Amino acid sequence: MRIIYLFLFLFFFQSLYAQKGILVEYQRSSNNKVMESQDPTLVYANAEQTVITSRKIMSGEAKMPYELFVIKRPSNAYYKMTRVNAMKQIGTIDSNAINKQNLEITKETKKILGYTCYRAKTSVNSNSIDIWYTTELKVKGGPSDLGQNLGFVLEVVRNGNSAVTASKIEKLKEWPTSLNLPQSLVYVDDLTYKDELWKSRFTQVPVFKNEKISFSDDSKSDSILRFANGTVIVKKVKIPKINPGQTVFVQLTEKSKGDAYDRTGSVFIIPQDQQLSFLDGMQKGMNTLPFYDNGNGKKYQGVIRTANYSPILELMRFFTPFGVSQFNYLKLKGKTWQDSVLYRQDISELAGAISDQEVYVGAFIGNYDKNGHEISLELTVHPGFDRSQSLKKLLPIFNTTNVMEMGGQEYGTMFNKDQGLVVTFELKEDAENVQLRYVTTGHGGWGNGDEFVPKTNRIFLNEVPLFGFTPWRNDCGSYRLSNPASGNFANGLSSSDLSRSNWCPGTVTYPIFIDIGKLKAGKHTVRVHIPQGESEGTSFSSWNVSGVLLYD
């Protein structure tokens, strides 16, 4: 009789225990070392549900957006909820996430916090996962969705070296009401949920959306300024404050709307720090800007820094492919053309030029087609980790990319003389950790043109050799699927396959960073020398080079 009473007491206690639930706290570790400054995972569980949250969320200290998870029993419906901001929260429900798991149960056991745990194995995205679970707690739960149907998961180990392990278990006197799903929660499909959660983690700064860049006499400015018959578009944009350590990206999507050729493109800002700016040349004529004269009889407008003028600051150099999207009807067996080209580049080193400012952002594609190209452009600012650094100071000193080509700006042909490009600039203060951010591409689209002939770029500082290299890209064939209108040759190659002077159709040209070290306040001279090839008839070579000083 006493045995029956004892059994009934234990059954009643365990049922009450399961109803009120338990709280399990977890710590993350790497290679058996507990990670510092972590926000421990908290798991609340009873017979009806499991809630996965964190200490900071429960104390109200978590920064938004933050996410928590709920598993309802016995259906195992998996709820994901994100608090986007104080006014918005979204959720989604996955009815199969728990039940569809493919887990291999082993006979291995070990003790965690005094409980006998069994090992289950699985693989997620090529990561081997060990799940250590116990059935002695009489409720189900764990720090993730993995193994939720086995029992209570007290440890999850990824690839044998990264672990989330239970560090403390306590009984709940009552279930926290804050863990109940809000009645006003807006539910969306899983793909929409993931997208909104992802976008809520960083700041998007839209610039252009499906805007045409084409050559047309009918091109007119509206909310967007259009120059050079519509081949350049400019918009004034408010950029949020960018904190040290944050990461900044520029992202552009391009489609052909009629132009079949590979074209030079540039994303830039127009500095407003001096008496004259590039915008003055756009609005009043390029000949209103300072000239650069290398002695060959040509006048190069607005390409170098002077005492009262700053050249444009290039964010990204890119090249359109041969007719992506518009010419996808040109079928080839075994090839499926891309719908568009995405160009995305980290420009964090330039954050000091745009942070907490209204700036003129421009985009250029050199073309003579009335339908041209369609682009979308945005900047994104992402949370960082290293706040010990500060934003770099910047000084744009030259840019020979003739973004106003269709507005009368001269091509960068000044390298046909030995002096090449020479610019004298003045530093107002001593500078440390100085770098030259240098972008270079060679052009001249025939066999002997500089586009197809490697040429060494040499840079001199105060007439002392600073750096030399031969810019060349031999990976252009990797981007064949973005080039449906590329010409095909008798030797089995396509035009888009051919190696070029630091660019390929459908790609970004990355800057190089040339270390200078310390520079004293005062005047300094930079010279860029490139052995530009001779013209052949009406065919000529040119070089688009841009340079900006970065320093502390």
Side-chain angles (χ1 to χ4, degrees):
M1 195 68 175
R2 288 181 178 179
I3 294 176
I4 294 175
Y5 281 131
L6 179 60
F7 174 79
L8 291 174
F9 173 76
L10 289 174
F11 177 79
F12 174 77
F13 177 78
Q14 289 174 348
S15 298
L16 187 65
Y17 181 30
Q19 289 174 4
K20 290 187 175 182
I22 60 173
L23 165 61
V24 182
E25 182 173 309
Y26 294 79
Q27 285 188 326
R28 290 181 292 278
S29 61
S30 177
N31 294 312
N32 297 317
K33 292 183 179 179
V34 175
M35 299 172 65
E36 297 180 359
S37 304
Q38 61 177 280
D39 180 19
T41 298
L42 301 181
V43 176
Y44 292 80
N46 61 18
E48 298 176 350
Q49 61 185 322
T50 299
V51 179
I52 305 169
T53 180
S54 77
R55 184 187 292 172
K56 285 187 176 180
I57 292 175
M58 294 303 293
S59 65
E61 299 174 0
K63 292 183 179 180
M64 298 182 214
Y66 59 75
E67 194 175 21
L68 61 82
F69 310 91
V70 178
I71 296 93
K72 292 288 189 180
R73 312 292 182 188
S75 67
N76 288 333
Y78 184 43
Y79 292 73
K80 292 183 279 188
M81 188 198 83
T82 291
R83 169 67 73 174
V84 177
N85 53 50
M87 303 298 294
K88 183 178 181 181
Q89 51 190 353
I90 58 171
T92 191
I93 308 171
D94 189 337
S95 301
N96 299 313
I98 307 300
N99 295 326
K100 71 180 180 182
Q101 292 175 15
N102 183 20
L103 306 175
E104 177 188 349
I105 310 300
T106 74
K107 295 181 179 180
E108 295 179 62
T109 64
K110 71 175 181 179
K111 292 280 189 177
I112 300 177
L113 297 179
Y115 295 93
T116 299
C117 293
Y118 302 88
R119 179 182 177 225
K121 299 190 299 181
T122 190
S123 177
V124 177
N125 298 333
S126 300
N127 294 290
S128 62
I129 308 293
D130 291 328
I131 302 165
W132 292 92
Y133 68 96
T134 183
T135 57
E136 295 175 359
L137 285 168
K138 308 304 179 184
V139 289
K140 294 180 178 180
S144 71
D145 61 317
L146 293 175
Q148 286 276 346
N149 227 13
L150 296 176
F152 209 100
V153 177
L154 294 183
E155 185 175 63
V156 177
V157 183
R158 178 171 57 89
N159 296 328
N161 54 27
S162 180
V164 178
T165 308
S167 58
K168 182 170 58 176
I169 301 176
E170 60 183 71
K171 303 172 186 176
L172 291 174
K173 295 181 180 179
E174 57 182 356
W175 186 262
T177 57
S178 62
L179 297 179
N180 297 328
L181 289 171
Q183 294 294 319
S184 59
L185 186 61
V186 176
Y187 289 96
V188 296
D189 64 89
D190 187 61
L191 192 60
T192 300
Y193 176 86
K194 290 177 180 176
D195 186 62
E196 290 206 31
L197 172 61
W198 173 66
K199 289 179 178 177
S200 71
R201 298 191 184 281
F202 60 92
T203 301
Q204 294 173 275
V205 183
V207 183
F208 302 119
K209 181 68 173 178
N210 299 329
E211 289 295 335
K212 183 179 285 189
I213 297 182
S214 63
F215 184 84
S216 172
D217 292 335
D218 298 328
S219 176
K220 295 180 180 179
S221 297
D222 39 43
S223 60
I224 294 170
L225 303 176
R226 302 174 194 275
F227 301 102
N229 295 89
T231 57
V232 185
I233 58 177
V234 175
K235 184 178 181 181
K236 198 170 190 178
V237 180
K238 179 66 173 74
I239 309 296
K241 180 178 175 57
I242 301 170
N243 294 315
Q246 289 188 312
T247 304
V248 185
F249 274 84
V250 58
Q251 177 172 301
L252 183 143
T253 304
E254 180 270 340
K255 294 182 177 182
S256 168
K257 303 301 285 186
D259 187 15
Y261 276 91
D262 51 337
R263 305 293 190 182
T264 300
S266 183
V267 178
F268 57 91
I269 64 170
I270 303 174
Q272 301 288 300
D273 60 333
Q274 299 217 69
Q275 179 183 348
L276 278 174
S277 78
F278 198 81
L279 188 61
D280 292 307
M282 290 174 146
Q283 294 173 330
K284 302 172 186 177
M286 293 304 294
N287 288 335
T288 62
L289 298 181
F291 292 123
Y292 175 70
D293 186 352
N294 79 333
N296 67 2
K298 294 183 178 181
K299 305 294 185 182
Y300 301 95
Q301 314 102 314
V303 297
I304 65 169
R305 187 176 192 87
T306 67
N308 66 344
Y309 168 77
S310 293
I312 58 176
L313 172 57
E314 188 167 47
L315 304 182
M316 179 171 70
R317 179 88 51 84
F318 67 96
F319 291 87
T320 69
F322 287 93
V324 73
S325 184
Q326 182 67 26
F327 294 86
N328 283 8
Y329 64 85
L330 299 172
K331 302 296 184 183
L332 287 178
K333 190 175 181 64
K335 298 191 185 302
T336 302
W337 307 124
Q338 299 293 319
D339 178 67
S340 61
V341 172
L342 174 68
Y343 309 88
R344 182 169 170 82
Q345 182 178 336
D346 185 345
I347 58 165
S348 303
E349 72 277 3
L350 303 178
I354 59 177
S355 174
D356 199 24
Q357 298 182 52
E358 276 194 314
V359 295
Y360 285 100
V361 181
F364 155 75
I365 296 176
N367 73 101
Y368 286 95
D369 189 276
K370 67 177 181 179
N371 293 313
H373 305 257
E374 181 182 275
I375 69 156
S376 294
L377 175 68
E378 70 172 2
L379 303 177
T380 59
V381 182
H382 304 259
F385 303 98
D386 184 6
R387 295 181 177 272
S388 62
Q389 57 184 319
S390 58
L391 297 183
K392 290 285 187 180
K393 298 177 183 178
L394 294 100
L395 195 70
I397 55 176
F398 59 84
N399 191 335
T400 69
T401 306
N402 55 331
V403 302
M404 285 291 287
E405 173 185 347
M406 288 71 182
Q409 187 181 16
E410 185 59 68
Y411 285 83
T413 57
M414 67 281 292
F415 301 100
N416 65 347
K417 295 290 186 180
D418 279 346
Q419 77 169 23
L421 179 70
V422 181
V423 54
T424 297
F425 61 92
E426 184 175 7
L427 280 176
K428 301 297 185 183
E429 57 189 349
D430 291 350
E432 295 188 354
N433 302 316
V434 183
Q435 290 181 313
L436 176 66
R437 182 187 191 265
Y438 181 67
V439 182
T440 178
T441 50
H443 305 273
W446 78 103
N448 294 322
D450 284 6
E451 182 174 317
F452 299 112
V453 179
K455 295 293 181 72
T456 300
N457 288 217
R458 291 184 174 88
I459 299 172
F460 299 80
L461 177 64
N462 299 324
E463 284 307 316
V464 176
L466 176 64
F467 189 78
F469 79 115
T470 301
W472 193 248
R473 287 282 292 269
N474 56 13
D475 61 330
C476 298
S478 300
Y479 308 96
R480 182 67 181 92
L481 296 182
S482 295
N483 289 275
S486 177
N488 297 307
F489 304 134
N491 63 358
L493 292 176
S494 176
S495 179
S496 65
D497 293 333
L498 301 181
S499 300
R500 289 173 168 84
S501 289
N502 215 32
W503 62 274
C504 299
T507 69
V508 166
T509 293
Y510 308 116
I512 65 169
F513 297 87
I514 302 167
D515 291 329
I516 295 175
K518 296 181 180 181
L519 276 182
K520 290 290 187 181
K523 292 186 177 181
H524 302 273
T525 299
V526 167
R527 180 164 72 92
V528 181
H529 177 271
I530 304 169
Q532 179 180 304
E534 295 293 330
S535 299
E536 294 183 15
T538 58
S539 298
F540 62 91
S541 294
S542 63
W543 284 82
N544 293 335
V545 298
S546 68
V548 55
L549 285 184
L550 311 172
Y551 59 95
D552 295 324

